[in-house]
Amino acid sequence: MARKATDFFPESDVAVTGVGMITPLGISAPECWENMLLGRSGIRPITKFDVSECPVKIGGQLPESYDLLEKSMIHKRTFKQTVTSTRIAMICASEAIKDSRLEINAVDSRRCAVIFGTTGSSVRTLAEHVDGPDKFKIIREMFNAAAARISMDFGFKGYSFTISAGSESGTCAIAKAYDLIRHNMADVVIACGADTLLTANFLRRLKAFQCLCRNTPDPGHAIKPFDKNRSGFAVSDGGCAVVLESIRSANQRNADIYAIMSGYGNISQFSVHQPDTAMTRSMELAVNQSGISKEKIGYINANGTGTTTNDLSETRAIKTVFGNQAHDLLISAHKSMIGHTFSASGVIGFAVAAKSLKSGMIPPTINYETPDPLCDLNYVPNEMIGSDNGAAIVNSFGLTGHYFSLVLKSSEH
Amino acid sequence: MKRLLSEAEKTTIYNEIRQYLADELEIDPEKIQEDTNIIDDLGGDSILFLEMFEEFKTKYQIDLEVRTIGQYMLNHPVYTFKETVNAIFDIIEKGEDLIGQESN
């Protein structure tokens, strides 16, 4: 008899015990969550740089309140030694740890790890290359800076590293955190993704991918995942961190558990044409590893970029995996409100799914106005709904060939 | 090369170190007391110590490799302002003999 993946590991499930988030919708997880449930958009005209040469002049800038938060939480010297994406990651991690009520003295710090996912914002934000003191250039721009900072901030002495897998880097961080815990190599892992790609250069270069939304005088309505008139996404800055923990550790310290992560799928397909098969395989692998029957899955936090091809392919893939059940699923796209935060986006999706399983509330896909006959599933249009679900899938599929699906289940089922 | 710092010189250097830390960490020098922990209390970091030693080495024309200071710090942990001041006094007074007998 074939062995299931779950037979191999001493720890079969991984608890989600903390969330921290900074997005155009807010500077904390509760603020972002509330605005998502209200169906608000964080997309606005870009003011932080000259957009005259940019193909798209709207995007997801962080709220003005972020600057004050940064000043209150980051020491002046640390500020000079870090780039914005690192500081976002540090603040998100801080919120996630506080949310989890983890006391480092109550756990084995050598079994506490940090995995940070980024596309490489630390070396892409040109202004920060020039502005910072030269003597700090190495520690400011090194790829492992954010993971190292978070480890130092919280006294985590286990694994600490950065991974890069395109816009799925944060999702990959969650998957690898899950592996560390499942392989009994860590008890607690902070998985974090952050990027600050809302720059003039990035927008100009992204034009080649034909994935950016059209300019509109009403930026809040620019991103329309699954709508017939969708035109693409806007680029946003942001970060999200989650605390993942072995069930044993979470129970020992009587932690509140948002949800249980019970599997993931990952496949690489380096072609932007016909990604349906990779999306299908990614979800199937995740469901198989989780050991959860498909019937228990009620919610999908979609990749939902709002591009013509992604949304159609994702819809087709969901139909292939779930058959007739596809029409019963609730599917929503946080990118309709937040935009594309790249490495943060998969972690945000994961946090949204975990909070949905805990609260029974599903945030909507906003700007859904004209149904597309080819995208005919329930995308939770425009208004949140209440729905208790046993399990959820988070899809995170990238332009650069990485496909991840994560499976979460309710801690109460 | 060995030199002996006078009390007046020590007072000058003491104040220079305090001012250096205050400038680098952008804080009021009055916040720096002898038992103040430079990393835990003031938000400093290990690189700050390297920079500071380099600064004072150059200023007082001390010919000494940073690695020697690193060896010295293995036996003389430097965390507080007072410990920092004493380390810099030792660096200036002992120069390349900083760890002389200790390394044998």
Side-chain angles (χ1 to χ4, degrees):
Chain A
M1 192 177 78
R3 296 178 73 183
K4 291 188 297 182
T6 45
D7 293 338
F8 289 88
F9 306 116
E11 293 281 350
S12 61
D13 283 332
V14 171
V16 185
T17 55
V19 175
M21 200 184 292
I22 292 170
T23 76
L25 281 181
I27 56 170
S28 69
E31 188 186 5
C32 294
W33 175 244
E34 186 183 340
N35 282 326
M36 278 189 256
L37 291 178
L38 292 169
R40 290 181 174 150
S41 171
I43 307 304
R44 62 205 86 182
I46 297 166
T47 55
K48 72 171 185 169
F49 53 82
D50 178 11
V51 292
S52 56
E53 302 293 319
C54 296
V56 173
K57 302 175 195 319
I58 58 175
Q61 292 184 182
L62 296 184
E64 287 172 7
S65 53
Y66 174 71
D67 290 339
L68 285 176
L69 177 72
E70 205 179 60
K71 283 190 175 69
S72 70
M73 292 192 65
I74 306 287
H75 193 277
K76 285 176 184 172
R77 183 173 165 88
T78 307
F79 191 92
K80 289 187 280 189
Q81 295 174 335
T82 51
V83 295
T84 310
S85 56
T86 299
R87 296 192 290 272
I88 290 172
M90 291 164 70
I91 298 171
C92 286
S94 174
E95 187 192 2
I97 286 285
K98 195 173 172 189
D99 187 37
S100 74
R101 294 186 291 117
L102 182 91
E103 297 287 341
I104 191 67
N105 296 331
V107 293
D108 183 348
S109 62
R110 297 165 303 179
R111 290 180 56 82
C112 294
V114 180
I115 309 179
F116 176 63
T118 180
T119 62
S121 292
S122 65
V123 294
R124 279 190 182 155
T125 313
L126 193 63
E128 293 181 300
H129 282 251
V130 179
D131 286 352
D134 189 65
K135 64 182 179 182
F136 296 138
K137 186 174 172 63
I138 292 173
I139 59 169
R140 188 169 61 242
E141 295 175 12
M142 62 189 191
F143 267 40
N144 59 321
R149 287 275 169 194
I150 294 167
S151 293
M152 288 193 291
D153 279 355
F154 301 105
F156 280 23
K157 294 178 178 165
Y159 293 85
S160 176
F161 56 87
T162 293
I163 50 175
S164 192
S167 48
E168 284 58 61
S169 300
T171 326
C172 188
I174 291 174
K176 295 303 107 185
Y178 178 78
D179 285 343
L180 284 187
I181 295 169
R182 288 277 303 257
H183 286 276
N184 201 21
M185 297 161 83
D187 295 328
V188 179
V189 187
I190 298 176
C192 180
D195 264 321
T196 49
L197 293 176
L198 187 59
T199 66
N201 277 341
F202 191 71
L203 289 178
R204 279 198 295 270
R205 289 163 185 159
L206 203 60
K207 191 182 174 189
F209 289 80
Q210 301 288 326
C211 56
L212 291 171
C213 63
R214 294 187 198 103
N215 276 309
T216 158
D218 184 8
H221 286 85
I223 311 174
K224 302 169 174 296
F226 305 105
D227 184 278
K228 190 177 182 185
N229 297 318
R230 63 192 181 272
S231 63
F233 59 79
V235 176
S236 297
D237 291 341
C240 188
V242 289
V243 177
L244 300 183
E245 194 166 355
S246 69
I247 292 287
R248 186 184 54 224
S249 171
N251 286 340
Q252 270 174 359
R253 62 183 194 85
N254 201 22
D256 283 337
I257 297 174
Y258 280 105
I260 307 292
M261 181 177 176
S262 51
Y264 72 90
N266 169 220
I267 192 160
S268 301
Q269 178 176 295
F270 299 101
S271 164
V272 293
H273 302 295
Q274 298 287 323
D276 309 23
T277 50
M279 293 177 175
T280 301
R281 183 76 180 133
S282 175
M283 282 186 273
E284 281 177 342
L285 285 170
V287 173
N288 288 345
Q289 189 188 41
S290 75
I292 292 173
S293 67
K294 287 178 190 170
E295 291 73 30
K296 284 198 174 170
I297 294 168
Y299 172 55
I300 295 182
N301 185 281
N303 187 49
T305 52
T307 61
T308 310
T309 50
N310 173 87
D311 295 358
L312 176 57
S313 291
E314 191 169 10
T315 298
R316 284 179 181 161
I318 291 169
K319 287 179 180 178
T320 303
V321 173
F322 288 93
N324 290 336
Q325 190 196 338
H327 292 274
D328 300 326
L329 294 169
L330 300 170
I331 301 163
S332 71
H334 67 264
K335 290 188 182 81
S336 63
M337 298 175 272
I338 289 174
H340 203 329
T341 49
F342 289 80
S343 292
S345 64
V347 192
I348 293 169
F350 184 80
V352 167
K355 279 176 168 280
S356 292
L357 288 170
K358 181 80 173 173
S359 66
M361 292 186 280
I362 309 270
T365 303
I366 65 165
N367 302 325
Y368 187 87
E369 290 154 355
T370 311
D372 177 350
L374 298 175
C375 296
D376 56 351
L377 300 178
N378 183 352
Y379 304 107
V380 193
N382 303 317
E383 289 187 7
M384 63 149 283
I385 59 174
S387 173
D388 282 321
N389 292 290
I393 289 182
V394 179
N395 281 336
S396 183
F397 306 140
L399 292 166
T400 52
H402 307 279
Y403 294 77
F404 281 89
S405 298
L406 313 171
V407 175
L408 286 155
K409 65 181 179 184
S410 165
S411 61
E412 291 159 18
H413 283 67
Chain B
M1 182 198 75
K2 278 195 175 183
R3 63 200 275 188
L4 210 55
L5 292 167
S6 68
E7 286 307 310
E9 285 175 314
K10 283 187 173 179
T11 303
T12 302
I13 294 166
Y14 181 98
N15 289 329
E16 284 172 349
I17 298 168
R18 202 177 196 191
Q19 191 60 49
Y20 179 90
L21 288 169
D23 289 346
E24 283 298 318
L25 299 169
E26 298 182 47
I27 53 170
D28 183 345
E30 294 299 316
K31 281 191 175 174
I32 306 172
Q33 303 300 317
E34 295 207 337
D35 62 350
T36 302
N37 185 305
I38 291 169
I39 292 179
D40 293 344
D41 299 335
L42 302 180
D45 50 59
S46 54
I47 294 171
L48 176 62
F49 289 96
L50 296 179
E51 292 168 3
M52 185 164 43
F53 292 146
E54 190 63 31
E55 173 85 12
F56 281 87
K57 247 177 55 179
T58 307
K59 185 167 188 171
Y60 288 92
Q61 298 173 305
I62 306 299
D63 186 16
L64 179 65
E65 289 188 328
V66 170
R67 72 188 66 184
T68 308
I69 300 176
Q71 284 176 274
Y72 166 85
M73 286 172 70
L74 291 176
N75 292 331
H76 302 83
V78 179
Y79 297 107
T80 65
F81 175 58
K82 176 77 175 167
E83 288 165 348
T84 306
V85 168
N86 286 338
I88 290 179
F89 286 167
D90 273 350
I91 289 167
I92 296 172
E93 288 191 329
K94 295 178 183 169
E96 56 197 6
D97 292 330
L98 183 64
I99 55 168
Q101 293 174 348
E102 292 177 20
S103 63
N104 296 327

